[in-house]
Amino acid sequence: MNYHILHDNPDDILQQKLSAFETQFHYPLGKDHWFSISHCNFYLNFYLAMGPATCIVAENNEGVQGTICSAIRTLYNPNTKATQEVAYIGDLKVALKSQGKGMTYELMQQLQASYKGPAIPVMSVVMDGTKLTPFDYTGKKGFLTLEIIQKVYVIQLLARKEGHSQDVSIIGAKKGVELFEQMHCHSYFLPKQLNLRAKNGYQWIHVNDKACAVFENTRLAKRLYKNNGEEIKNAHLSYLSYKEDSALLIILKQALHMAFESKYQAVFLALSEAEYLKMNPILEQLPVVNVAKATVYGTPDLKTTMYNINTAEI
């Protein structure tokens, strides 16, 4: 088995092999339907958008047999002003013909060996219902044990024409981060190169400094396709924060309108359980299509606080 260690996007030949590898993984989409995920022509962009990235690719003469990826993210605590690095791990996949042969552990060991710095916390976000979770493969063969850190609610809202609100305006990234921090008390991962995942760019929007968010997509880094080949085009509302319910409703309606105008089908956002319960009266006024759950797993040193999670990064 040959192991490639990538810190940037692969060459064209390996990219083609990775694209073929991804087609064997299917995810349920209602009765008798499924979807698949493509990382497009820039396999590592999804992680490079979050920070310095690594991807381990296992390949033999039959093609790619497994992958695991990570991004070194900067976690910021707005209360203490302290930062720390966290390894965000994802896309642990093993080809059907190589499953049950120890490939999972070999990929994790290769990833662990590729990191040369001091030990840092590790985390991963997994949609509930996924067949294997970190409980199945961590804490064994020398790999770190990951525990449940928090639950996340993934909200899907139907894009629709709402009309442009005069209270909403676009601001620069620096101002957007400043506003977000003013209204957000939990630790969050600093935005990095969002342009690497968002086709046609991303926008920080706000409502009179009383609510703010990033309106973006992942079409440069991750696309979803139905089993009939049709692309599922969605927008994401990241780094959402607010201090007035009325402003929150305005910014959510504006996101639905922007998505509709861009011909997206839905807008996704992620909320902690506490945020979801608090925002329920607002969500009841909107076209909620689905509410799913995800679990944040991490090393024990990450259990001391809550984290801002964005659906564009799951």
Side-chain angles (χ1 to χ4, degrees):
M1 191 69 68
N2 181 33
Y3 289 91
H4 303 275
I5 303 175
L6 307 177
H7 298 293
D8 205 340
N9 287 305
D11 60 35
D12 291 344
I13 295 175
L14 184 55
Q15 177 62 58
Q16 290 175 6
K17 294 178 180 179
L18 284 164
S19 296
F21 168 74
E22 288 190 293
T23 61
Q24 66 190 286
F25 301 100
H26 301 157
Y27 309 90
L29 185 67
K31 185 180 179 181
D32 301 325
H33 296 282
W34 48 264
F35 70 92
S36 60
I37 294 173
S38 169
H39 284 86
C40 314
N41 294 322
F42 307 100
Y43 196 84
L44 227 57
N45 268 20
F46 185 79
Y47 293 91
L48 289 168
M50 295 185 270
T54 300
C55 183
I56 307 297
V57 181
E59 181 190 12
N60 62 15
N61 57 7
E62 295 183 324
V64 173
Q65 299 302 306
T67 61
I68 188 171
C69 301
S70 73
I72 305 302
R73 309 195 65 184
T74 304
L75 183 66
Y76 177 70
N77 186 323
N79 299 311
T80 64
K81 309 299 182 184
T83 61
Q84 71 175 129
E85 290 187 333
V86 176
Y88 185 92
I89 295 177
D91 281 295
L92 174 55
K93 298 177 181 176
V94 177
L96 299 179
K97 63 178 66 176
S98 292
Q99 291 178 8
K101 300 178 181 179
M103 175 70 70
T104 295
Y105 299 108
E106 184 61 33
L107 286 166
M108 292 194 299
Q109 288 167 1
Q110 290 280 342
L111 179 63
Q112 202 163 332
S114 72
Y115 182 71
K116 306 301 182 183
I120 59 174
V122 174
M123 73 180 300
S124 183
V125 183
V126 180
M127 293 300 298
D128 288 9
T130 301
K131 184 177 180 180
L132 293 179
T133 74
F135 284 155
D136 297 305
Y137 48 79
T138 66
K140 305 171 185 176
K141 298 188 179 183
F143 194 75
L144 297 168
T145 298
L146 300 189
E147 303 177 0
I148 293 178
I149 303 300
Q150 72 182 66
K151 301 294 289 187
V152 175
Y153 285 72
V154 177
I155 316 300
Q156 180 184 7
L157 300 168
L158 181 67
R160 70 181 186 186
K161 191 172 183 178
E162 292 279 354
H164 175 72
S165 171
Q166 298 300 316
D167 294 317
V168 178
S169 57
I170 298 171
I171 51 176
K174 183 178 179 181
K175 174 65 173 177
V177 172
E178 290 174 355
L179 275 178
F180 175 81
E181 184 178 331
Q182 291 171 14
M183 295 182 280
H184 190 82
C185 61
H186 302 313
S187 296
Y188 65 94
F189 292 102
L190 294 177
K192 296 293 183 176
Q193 301 183 80
L194 305 190
N195 57 298
L196 290 181
R197 67 183 181 222
K199 186 175 182 179
N200 300 323
Y202 64 94
Q203 294 176 317
W204 275 94
I205 56 177
H206 80 118
V207 179
N208 301 322
D209 293 352
K210 296 174 183 176
C212 69
V214 174
F215 181 83
E216 61 171 328
N217 65 79
T218 63
R219 297 187 65 228
L220 283 181
K222 183 178 181 180
R223 296 190 184 193
L224 278 57
Y225 291 92
K226 295 180 182 179
N227 51 308
N228 63 3
E230 178 187 350
E231 182 183 354
I232 305 172
K233 297 180 182 179
N234 296 312
H236 299 265
L237 205 58
S238 305
Y239 294 100
L240 174 65
S241 192
Y242 68 100
K243 57 184 177 182
E244 289 186 8
D245 287 355
S246 57
L248 171 64
L249 183 59
I250 290 172
I251 206 166
L252 289 173
K253 286 186 174 182
Q254 180 67 22
L256 300 186
H257 182 73
M258 292 170 69
F260 178 83
E261 289 194 323
S262 298
K263 295 181 169 53
Y264 293 128
Q265 298 171 14
V267 176
F268 283 83
L269 66 147
L271 304 171
S272 69
E273 184 171 17
E275 290 170 332
Y276 175 67
L277 294 174
K278 181 181 178 182
M279 285 175 54
N280 238 336
I282 300 297
L283 293 173
E284 288 176 352
Q285 302 177 55
L286 298 169
V288 177
V289 177
N290 188 47
V291 178
K293 291 184 181 180
T295 301
V296 181
Y297 297 87
T299 43
D301 46 357
L302 291 176
K303 294 189 72 171
T304 57
T305 186
M306 298 292 290
Y307 303 95
N308 176 76
I309 302 295
N310 300 311
T311 53
E313 297 159 349
I314 298 177

